[in-house]
Amino acid sequence: MKKTAFTAREIAVLGLLSALLFGAKIVMAPLPNIEPVSLLIVVYVAVLGLRALIPVYVYVMLEIVTWGFGYWSACYLYVWAVLALAAWLLRRMESPLGWALLSGTFGLCFGALCSLAYWAAGGWGFALSWWLSGIPFDLLHGAGNFAMALALFKPCRAVLFRLYWGRSIKSET
């Protein structure tokens, strides 16, 4: 029989993962464009598959409710889905270096991806000027994402796998 509903445990874990995304971003907000959101999203997708979109979009909703709706929040509606899709396509990858490259590349491309919302709002000139002015922040974002994923992807994935599935990754193989 195909499972259609979430268990109480799954709902609780997804709620905690949503809060972790938002809380970790707030805690690291003083650092310019260095954030754990990208790392957590790739970990969530690697463990949960497309169920990871639930905490991702709860996080987006919390950001919009907290900070209001603007151009940045319009891009949040799609950029995290781009990262989730890329992680889903690579979900069987075992290499922490591969995950670090994905996360770092996403950080470098973040401004370019967000510029699509600025293009829709004000045209190519607006989008290009916004993106070019943000390149130093994209460089920091990419470097921070790469370093965090390289150091933390494997232990975070192991903890989440055990928390969500109730067994260690090793018992799966």
Side-chain angles (χ1 to χ4, degrees):
M1 178 179 274
K2 185 175 179 177
K3 180 181 166 186
T4 57
F6 289 98
T7 66
R9 176 189 169 104
E10 289 170 320
I11 292 169
V13 171
L14 290 170
L16 289 170
L17 296 178
S18 303
L20 180 61
L21 272 173
F22 186 71
K25 168 87 178 276
I26 296 295
V27 167
M28 292 188 71
L31 301 174
N33 275 31
I34 306 217
E35 45 77 18
V37 175
S38 301
L39 165 68
L40 293 173
I41 289 174
V42 296
V43 168
Y44 292 2
V45 172
V47 174
L48 308 176
L50 294 179
R51 289 179 193 91
L53 291 174
I54 294 168
V56 167
Y57 280 98
V58 169
Y59 160 73
V60 170
M61 180 202 62
L62 289 171
E63 285 279 325
I64 292 169
V65 167
T66 303
W67 307 113
F69 195 84
Y71 298 133
W72 68 270
S73 50
C75 77
Y76 268 36
L77 294 173
Y78 63 87
V79 294
W80 301 118
V82 169
L83 178 59
L85 176 61
W88 184 78
L89 292 171
L90 298 169
R91 67 192 177 279
R92 302 212 192 293
M93 180 170 51
E94 290 295 323
S95 168
L97 180 59
W99 288 108
L101 287 170
L102 171 64
S103 193
T105 301
F106 176 77
L108 288 173
C109 296
F110 192 85
L113 289 167
C114 283
S115 69
L116 296 174
Y118 290 80
W119 167 76
W124 287 112
F126 185 36
L128 185 62
S129 65
W130 182 86
W131 175 51
L132 291 175
S133 68
I135 287 177
F137 293 99
D138 289 339
L139 293 171
L140 284 170
H141 194 180
N145 280 4
F146 180 86
M148 265 193 274
L150 189 61
L152 298 173
F153 176 81
K154 201 169 183 177
C156 287
R157 182 182 63 171
V159 167
L160 180 56
F161 194 94
R162 184 162 185 83
L163 177 68
Y164 193 80
W165 298 108
R167 62 184 192 278
S168 69
I169 291 175
K170 291 177 185 121
S171 67
E172 181 187 73
T173 57

